[in-house]
């Protein structure tokens, strides 16, 4: 199973200014996935609109588990080329879906989406937070589903972690004022791109392991 693509209602120029290579309104992230940039919606809506999973031996179909807009299709690995970015992004670590109840959301995905496998990890962390992880081809990790707030409401993809070669060089490329202060996540330094610059799907930039 893999991410084929994530569709985001952002203007391509905003991603270019943040150091991403954009070709035909697409951003290729290593061998991990492709971002499709459609521009803001008629009502000005931005951020993640939908995402497509590549699952072996399934017929193309659309689903809305927990009001997530999700398509399933045959796995599609990004082609070579157009994957080098001035900001140093090299591949995807993971995408994170926030939900109000991890158990219910995990079961809903498995029961709703044809061919969706059980997570590789489904457990509590040391703080008692329930999370689940599916490993995705081409990603360092894959897809994580976690409940941080029981009042979250609909499930939503709220963060996408991208791995960079040199975090300080990445910050310099994007602009120190356009990312959050450096923090440590899992023993690795990371920053978040501020959505106000027009890159809105919760992009977290984390140094390579």
């Amino acid at each position: 199973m893999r991410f084929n693509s994530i569709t985001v209602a952002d203007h391509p120029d905003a991603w270019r200014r943040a150091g991403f290579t954009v070709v035909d309104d697409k951003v290729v992230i290593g061998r991990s996935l492709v971002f499709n940039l459609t521009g803001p919606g008629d009502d000005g809506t931005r951020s993640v609109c939908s995402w497509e999973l590549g699952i072996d031996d399934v017929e193309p179909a659309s689903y809305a588990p927990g009001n997530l807009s999700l398509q399933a299709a045959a796995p599609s690995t990004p082609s070579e080329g157009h994957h080098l970015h001035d900001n140093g992004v090299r591949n995807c670590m993971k995408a994170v879906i926030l939900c109000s109840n991890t158990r219910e959301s995990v079961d809903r995905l498995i029961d709703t989406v044809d061919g969706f496998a059980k997570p590789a990890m489904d457990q509590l962390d040391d703080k008692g937070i329930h999370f689940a992880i599916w490993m995705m081809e081409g990603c360092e990790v894959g897809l994580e589903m976690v409940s941080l707030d029981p009042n979250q409401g609909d499930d939503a993809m709220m963060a996408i972690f991208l791995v960079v070669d040199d975090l300080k060089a990445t910050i310099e490329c994007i602009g120190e004022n356009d990312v959050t202060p450096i923090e440590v996540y899992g023993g690795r330094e990371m920053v978040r791109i501020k959505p106000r610059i027009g890159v809105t799907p919760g992009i977290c930039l984390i140094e390579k392991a």
Side-chain angles (χ1 to χ4, degrees):
M1 193 159 63
R2 64 172 299 117
F3 292 118
N4 283 349
S5 63
I6 298 175
T7 298
V8 183
D10 284 348
H11 198 286
D13 285 346
W15 286 62
R16 287 191 183 95
R17 288 192 294 270
F20 290 96
T21 298
V22 182
V23 178
D24 296 330
D25 298 339
K26 299 180 185 298
V27 175
V28 178
I29 305 298
R31 306 292 280 175
S32 301
L33 59 91
V34 175
F35 286 105
N36 298 315
L37 306 178
T38 63
D42 293 338
D43 59 356
T45 301
R46 294 177 180 267
S47 197
V48 174
C49 303
S50 63
W51 43 295
E52 181 180 286
L53 281 176
I55 304 176
D56 289 323
D57 303 320
V58 300
E59 293 295 324
S62 297
Y63 304 93
N67 280 335
L68 291 170
S69 180
L70 165 64
Q71 291 82 46
S76 176
T77 303
S79 58
E80 295 285 354
H82 308 310
H83 62 279
L84 299 178
H85 305 283
D86 289 344
N87 58 23
V89 166
R90 54 190 290 178
N91 61 279
C92 178
M93 177 185 181
K94 65 179 179 178
V96 179
I97 293 175
L98 296 184
C99 60
S100 56
N101 184 296
T102 304
R103 173 81 283 124
E104 292 179 1
S105 293
V106 167
D107 290 345
R108 184 164 50 235
L109 268 177
I110 294 171
D111 293 343
T112 302
V113 181
D114 188 26
F116 203 94
K118 292 183 178 180
M121 299 178 67
D122 187 350
Q123 62 193 60
L124 302 180
D125 68 9
D126 56 4
K127 297 180 181 178
I129 296 173
H130 186 187
F131 70 96
I133 290 176
W134 291 263
M135 304 304 292
M136 294 286 175
E137 180 185 341
C139 293
E140 190 176 302
V141 180
L143 177 66
E144 179 178 352
M145 180 167 276
V146 61
S147 174
L148 301 178
D149 179 1
N151 298 312
Q152 163 68 28
D154 292 338
D155 297 351
M157 185 178 285
M158 298 296 290
I160 302 168
F161 287 70
L162 303 180
V163 179
V164 302
D165 283 317
D166 181 336
L167 185 61
K168 290 181 174 57
T170 297
I171 294 170
E172 183 176 350
C173 175
I174 297 174
E176 188 173 359
N177 291 330
D178 293 331
V179 298
T180 59
I182 292 175
E183 57 189 287
V184 177
Y185 181 91
R188 295 154 69 176
E189 290 189 337
M190 62 162 274
V191 297
R192 306 167 193 267
I193 295 180
K194 294 180 179 178
R196 65 173 175 77
I197 71 170
V199 179
T200 64
I203 297 293
C204 302
L205 302 167
I206 189 165
E207 66 180 359
K208 62 184 179 182

